[in-house]
Amino acid sequence: MVLIGVTGGIGCGKSTVAALLARKGAWVLDADLCAREALQPRWCGLRAIVEVFGASVLREDGSLDRRRLGELATASLETLLQLESILHPLIFRIMAVRLAERYHLDSETVAVLDVPLLFESGLDVRLDTTVNVFCGAAWHERVLSRGDAMPERVRHLLRQRQLPEAEKRCRCTHLLDNQGGLQELESQVDVLWRTLQGLRGSVWPEAWERYLTP
Ligand code: ADP
């Protein structure tokens, strides 16, 4: 199994690239979906979050009030990092479980992990290769056109949390420029996919061992 991490800023086109790779035969694992799962009752995330952020993050029925947690976690960089320190290990664990399930189905899988904070979370070292999607100022228009109502204050905080673009460019193996149209992006994904064909997986399962053992 080959593991490929796709990252980039908000609205830069990570999911679009992942979907294009899926059309070519890749299997996609979305970190945002794993983060949602981490807050389901079967995992210990919700309990840990209540311990840190207080019971006001719960609705009367005991389920998570996402809006309230969002407000508290984005109060400062410190609270955002606190939330990440609870969620990231759990998200990695869920990813490891999903990858193991996938490996049993098809050990030749090309797995694309769509991860917003790939380098910042340290997940990059557990992958065979990394792709950074860059879109310059185009993200603004795209995010607005998809009706993303994130306040500027929160957007600013999330940008603060991300590595500077220049550093991500240095650290990634492949860079996709998504400042142009979708066809231009597709052509770059075609080239990327051909390059990936020659890649042999070497990190699975060893690099995930600590997340595979409960
Ligand atoms: P991310 O996953 O990085 O947040 P998305 O892939 O969801 O970003 O892209 C954000 C929005 O921009 C989506 O509505 C997507 O369809 C659109 N989009 C992505 N790339 C392009 C492009 N090259 N041209 C036009 N729209 C694009």
Side-chain angles (χ1 to χ4, degrees):
M1 184 154 72
V2 178
L3 306 191
I4 299 150
V6 175
T7 194
I10 307 162
C12 271
K14 295 178 290 299
S15 311
T16 307
V17 167
L20 289 170
L21 289 169
R23 277 202 338 222
K24 305 220 171 263
W27 175 80
V28 176
L29 184 56
D30 183 330
D32 286 341
L33 293 183
C34 295
R36 281 186 168 262
E37 192 182 335
L39 297 168
Q40 298 299 311
R42 63 178 284 233
W43 299 98
C44 58
L46 191 53
R47 199 167 0 103
I49 280 170
V50 173
E51 273 167 26
V52 171
F53 291 95
S56 75
V57 298
L58 295 178
R59 293 205 192 88
E60 273 179 17
D61 66 1
S63 65
L64 178 69
D65 184 340
R66 288 178 177 276
R67 213 168 69 101
R68 179 73 185 136
L69 176 62
E71 282 165 7
L72 293 173
T74 59
S76 68
L77 192 55
E78 196 189 341
T79 48
L80 189 60
L81 292 176
Q82 258 181 321
L83 179 64
E84 283 180 14
S85 70
I86 298 169
L87 284 185
H88 282 175
L90 213 48
I91 293 171
F92 296 174
R93 165 113 181 89
I94 292 168
M95 286 183 146
V97 170
R98 296 285 164 268
L99 287 168
E101 288 166 355
R102 181 65 207 180
Y103 182 78
H104 285 297
L105 282 178
D106 176 9
S107 62
E108 299 294 310
T109 295
V110 176
V112 169
L113 283 68
D114 176 346
V115 188
L117 294 174
L118 184 71
F119 297 107
E120 297 83 344
S121 66
L123 197 69
D124 56 315
V125 301
R126 299 180 203 284
L127 302 171
D128 291 300
T129 193
T130 55
V131 179
N132 185 39
V133 188
F134 165 75
C135 74
W139 67 270
H140 194 240
E141 203 180 301
R142 289 183 195 146
V143 166
L144 290 183
S145 72
R146 76 176 173 188
D148 191 326
M150 194 184 287
E152 183 49 38
R153 180 190 65 78
V154 176
R155 218 187 294 284
H156 176 72
L157 184 69
L158 296 181
R159 276 202 299 270
Q160 257 182 292
R161 178 64 192 105
Q162 291 183 0
L163 281 184
E165 196 54 51
E167 204 172 325
K168 277 194 274 192
R169 273 171 184 252
C170 291
R171 290 182 58 176
C172 70
T173 319
H174 306 277
L175 185 66
L176 297 184
D177 183 342
N178 191 23
Q179 297 178 92
L182 280 172
Q183 266 188 343
E184 284 170 54
L185 184 64
E186 270 188 64
S187 313
Q188 293 177 66
V189 171
D190 285 346
V191 175
L192 172 68
W193 183 250
R194 281 198 293 274
T195 312
L196 295 175
Q197 299 311 295
L199 194 66
R200 290 176 67 96
S202 64
V203 294
W204 179 264
E206 289 77 12
W208 291 77
E209 210 73 68
R210 63 180 284 207
Y211 296 109
L212 285 166
T213 40

